[in-house]
């Protein structure tokens, strides 16, 4: 049977679902009822979600949680996090509490410049191109006036346009490298609209435009967050020893890419969760962060640590392109609420909050890895997932959780305990 379909986007949700069930579900009715179960009963809210993308047939839930007690630049925040990984929010909350007793987190935005490029081919003499560019440069900026008008009023707009010769890397390849300030919006649509107008104004018979698009590499949209404490306050006892071990763990991530990727993935656990909860683009943030981690030509840690004069210092430097206006931030009711929970931050404040979440998550991971190991905390949080997989009822969950309190959790051990419980009919 052919699984091809035409005009799918014109089908109603019911028609799409039925088509899908007929062609792809093992059990049509079960599949349909799962999809229906996740549709919102409030039709207006469902319509809103349907219209975010094309061909919506249901909603895919992930948990939305709060990590309270984050002190950032003297203010206390409760961080909204959307994430499915069981230990992330618990770890964030523990770390927030730990640092709230040691002066909290400090964060500052280093720069907020965003980038877009018009990529084009030109076969003639570079000098000719340079003088043409110099002649039309102000016209290029003026041609975007109607698009940039509102942004300029808010203090943003085009910062500069640079002609870049890339022919040593690719024959005939040049670009207009355009820098932007987009204030409180992430600015993707704004940047792309400006670039297309600039390209149209710039092109001529010899200039062949290939494409115009923003860059998600934003090394000059940079934020720093840090914590510090006396080494003696780092751990209940032998703080200096554990602080040193922690610094070594960061040093390892700086020299060993296999470790650095996992180390930075842990940072992104905290970052992506808030990026998603605030309706921002986590793919863009992740792509930009990993590119920044490789800027030296080698993939390295996004965090840094040192001990100096008996003090432990730990900090992150990360590019974050975020918005607190526009896009999903005001459309998705939960994204809107997340911004309310964060006290309506500016994009700069949100950069600081999110950098802190990344630093906190890395702190939690490295502290666990260099002391008890990661599995103790992970498996404890994972216990509920395992019990749910095994379809444990409420009573079974209660008994097993009690049984494993303070003990090492493994899939096998839980399966065995549950089996014993069920066969011995203890419940
Ligand atoms: C798991 O999601 C993240 C960690 O692997 C991070 C790390 O190893 O640093 C725990």
């Amino acid at each position: 049977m052919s699984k091809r379909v035409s005009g799918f986007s014109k089908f109603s949700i019911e028609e799409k679902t039925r088509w899908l069930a007929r062609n792809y579900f093992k059990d049509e009715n079960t599949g349909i009822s799962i999809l229906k179960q996740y549709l919102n009963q409030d039709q207006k809210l469902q319509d809103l979600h349907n219209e975010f993308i094309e061909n919506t047939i249901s909603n895919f839930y992930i948990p939305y949680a709060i990590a309270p007690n984050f002190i950032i630049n003297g203010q206390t925040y409760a961080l909204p996090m959307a994430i499915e990984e069981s230990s992330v929010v618990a770890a964030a909350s523990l770390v927030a509490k730990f640092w709230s007793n040691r002066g909290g987190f400090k964060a500052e935005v280093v720069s907020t410049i965003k980038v877009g490029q018009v990529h084009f081919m030109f076969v003639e003499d570079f000098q000719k191109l340079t003088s043409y560019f110099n002649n039309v440069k102000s016209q290029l900026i003026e041609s975007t006036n109607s698009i940039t008008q509102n942004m300029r009023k808010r203090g943003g707009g085009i910062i500069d346009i640079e002609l870049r010769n890339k022919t040593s890397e690719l024959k005939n390849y040049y670009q207009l490298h355009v820098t932007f300030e987009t204030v409180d919006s992430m600015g993707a649509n704004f940047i792309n609209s400006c670039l297309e107008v600039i390209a149209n104004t710039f092109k001529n018979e010899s200039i062949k435009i290939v494409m115009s698009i923003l860059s998600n590499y934003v090394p000059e949209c940079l934020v720093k967050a840090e914590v510090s404490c006396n080494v003696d306050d780092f751990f209940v006892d032998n703080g200096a020893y554990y602080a040193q071990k922690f610094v070594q763990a960061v040093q390892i991530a700086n020299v060993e890419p296999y470790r650095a990727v996992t180390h930075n993935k842990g940072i992104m656990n905290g970052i992506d969760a808030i990026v998603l909860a605030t309706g921002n683009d986590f793919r863009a943030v992740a792509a930009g962060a990993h590119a920044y981690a490789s800027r030296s030509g080698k993939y390295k840690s996004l965090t840094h640590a040192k001990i100096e004069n008996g003090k432990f210092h730990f900090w992150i430097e990360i590019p974050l392109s975020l918005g607190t206006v526009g896009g999903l931030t005001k459309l998705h009711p939960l994204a809107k609420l997340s911004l309310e929970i964060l006290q309506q931050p500016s994009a700069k404040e949100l950069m600081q909050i999110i950098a802190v979440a990344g630093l906190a998550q890395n702190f939690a991971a490295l502290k666990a890895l260099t002391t008890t190991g990661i599995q103790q905390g992970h498996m404890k949080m994972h216990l509920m997932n395992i019990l749910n997989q095994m379809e444990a009822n409420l009573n079974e969950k209660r008994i097993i959780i009690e049984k494993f309190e303070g003990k090492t959790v493994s899939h096998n051990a839980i399966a065995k305990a549950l089996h014993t419980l069920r066969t011995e009919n203890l419940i």
Side-chain angles (χ1 to χ4, degrees):
M1 177 177 58
S2 163
K3 290 183 182 189
R4 285 179 161 207
V5 60
S6 64
F8 187 71
S9 66
K10 306 270 184 314
F11 290 5
S12 67
I13 287 198
E14 285 72 27
E15 287 166 335
K16 286 187 183 96
T17 305
R18 257 185 276 123
W19 175 87
L20 193 69
R22 262 200 319 276
N23 287 285
Y24 290 98
F25 290 168
K26 240 195 271 163
D27 174 353
E28 289 191 26
N29 290 334
T30 309
I32 289 174
S33 73
I34 291 172
L35 289 175
K36 278 202 174 140
Q37 206 176 4
Y38 281 90
L39 280 171
N40 205 293
Q41 298 311 308
D42 175 345
Q43 193 54 49
K44 232 173 113 191
L45 191 64
Q46 187 55 51
D47 287 344
L48 181 77
H49 284 72
N50 294 348
E51 285 162 13
F52 287 151
I53 58 170
E54 192 160 278
N55 295 345
T56 307
I57 51 166
S58 191
N59 305 300
F60 192 96
Y61 293 177
I62 56 169
Y64 179 72
I66 292 292
N69 300 322
F70 269 89
I71 298 181
I72 305 173
N73 296 338
Q75 271 208 58
T76 307
Y77 291 90
L79 306 189
M81 302 177 93
I83 188 153
E84 85 302 342
E85 193 173 322
S86 42
S87 55
V88 171
V89 179
S93 307
L94 283 177
V95 171
K97 207 158 154 211
F98 179 90
W99 284 108
S100 67
N101 298 324
R102 290 163 180 79
F105 294 83
K106 294 183 185 55
E108 62 168 331
V109 169
V110 180
S111 50
T112 55
I113 299 171
K114 289 167 188 170
V115 170
Q117 296 169 319
V118 176
H119 305 272
F120 64 95
M121 297 292 167
F122 182 76
V123 292
E124 297 166 40
D125 178 41
F126 181 49
Q127 276 317 314
K128 198 174 151 193
L129 181 64
T130 311
S131 64
Y132 171 70
F133 170 71
N134 288 334
N135 278 337
V136 294
K137 186 172 170 180
S138 57
Q139 210 182 312
L140 296 179
I141 294 179
E142 271 161 35
S143 65
T144 63
N145 272 351
S146 63
I147 306 171
T148 60
Q149 196 179 9
N150 282 339
M151 190 63 88
R152 278 183 282 123
K153 274 190 207 147
R154 292 195 270 129
I158 295 173
I159 300 168
D160 196 15
I161 308 181
E162 212 187 294
L163 171 68
R164 289 192 175 177
N165 184 342
K166 306 291 282 184
T167 51
S168 63
E169 284 151 78
L170 179 67
K171 203 172 159 213
N172 304 327
Y173 169 40
Y174 297 88
Q175 54 181 230
L176 296 181
H177 185 90
V178 190
T179 42
F180 297 86
E181 169 57 60
T182 61
V183 201
D184 282 332
S185 61
M186 190 258 189
N189 280 329
F190 169 75
I191 294 174
N192 288 334
S193 302
C194 288
L195 292 172
E196 288 188 5
V197 170
I198 290 170
N200 244 332
T201 315
F202 189 59
K203 74 175 182 210
N204 65 24
E205 250 138 56
S206 331
I207 291 171
K208 306 286 178 221
I209 307 287
V210 179
M211 59 189 166
S212 310
I213 187 75
L214 93 166
S215 173
N216 290 126
Y217 185 44
V218 283
E220 287 182 278
C221 188
L222 201 64
V223 56
K224 251 182 165 173
E226 60 181 307
V227 283
S228 61
C229 69
N230 288 327
V231 286
D232 294 333
D233 296 335
F234 186 80
F235 210 67
V236 262
D237 43 44
N238 223 347
Y241 167 75
Y242 285 109
Q244 183 60 37
K245 234 180 139 184
F246 188 104
V247 171
Q248 284 163 351
V250 178
Q251 287 168 339
I252 289 169
N254 252 329
V255 298
E256 171 52 63
Y258 276 95
R259 173 58 201 149
V261 172
T262 318
H263 175 101
N264 288 344
K265 185 274 180 186
I267 294 172
M268 299 316 286
N269 279 344
I271 291 192
D272 280 348
I274 311 185
V275 171
L276 187 57
T278 55
N280 274 283
D281 183 343
F282 59 93
R283 286 90 49 206
V285 164
H290 295 299
Y292 189 71
S294 341
R295 70 195 181 285
S296 64
K298 181 170 172 172
Y299 189 88
K300 291 182 170 191
S301 165
L302 287 163
T303 54
H304 313 273
K306 65 176 180 190
I307 296 168
E308 216 168 64
N309 303 324
K311 245 187 147 176
F312 166 80
H313 297 266
F314 182 46
W315 70 102
I316 187 169
E317 194 186 80
I318 188 167
L320 290 174
S321 174
L322 304 168
T324 53
V325 298
L328 266 202
T329 59
K330 291 281 180 290
L331 269 180
H332 195 299
L334 276 176
K336 224 164 119 182
L337 200 68
S338 295
L339 291 171
E340 191 180 322
I341 295 167
L342 294 173
Q343 310 297 297
Q344 307 297 359
S346 64
K348 277 185 176 177
E349 285 162 341
L350 188 59
M351 284 168 78
Q352 295 173 5
I353 294 166
I354 292 183
V356 163
L359 186 70
Q361 213 61 50
N362 190 224
F363 183 79
L366 296 188
K367 194 136 191 255
L369 285 167
T370 54
T371 55
T372 56
I374 206 75
Q375 282 313 89
Q376 195 181 83
H378 260 201
M379 291 311 285
K380 200 170 149 201
M381 290 307 297
H382 196 50
L383 175 60
M384 193 54 84
N385 285 349
I386 299 174
L387 287 171
N388 282 334
Q389 258 174 32
M390 294 175 181
E391 298 183 355
N393 62 32
L394 276 179
N395 214 16
E396 289 171 336
K397 280 179 188 167
R398 188 183 51 76
I399 295 170
I400 300 283
I401 288 169
E402 245 169 50
K403 189 176 162 63
F404 279 86
E405 185 70 51
K407 295 207 178 83
T408 307
V409 172
S410 76
H411 202 282
N412 262 350
I414 295 166
K416 228 166 134 185
L418 197 60
H419 180 74
T420 312
L421 197 64
R422 284 171 176 169
T423 50
E424 288 176 4
N425 248 344
L426 290 175
I427 39 171

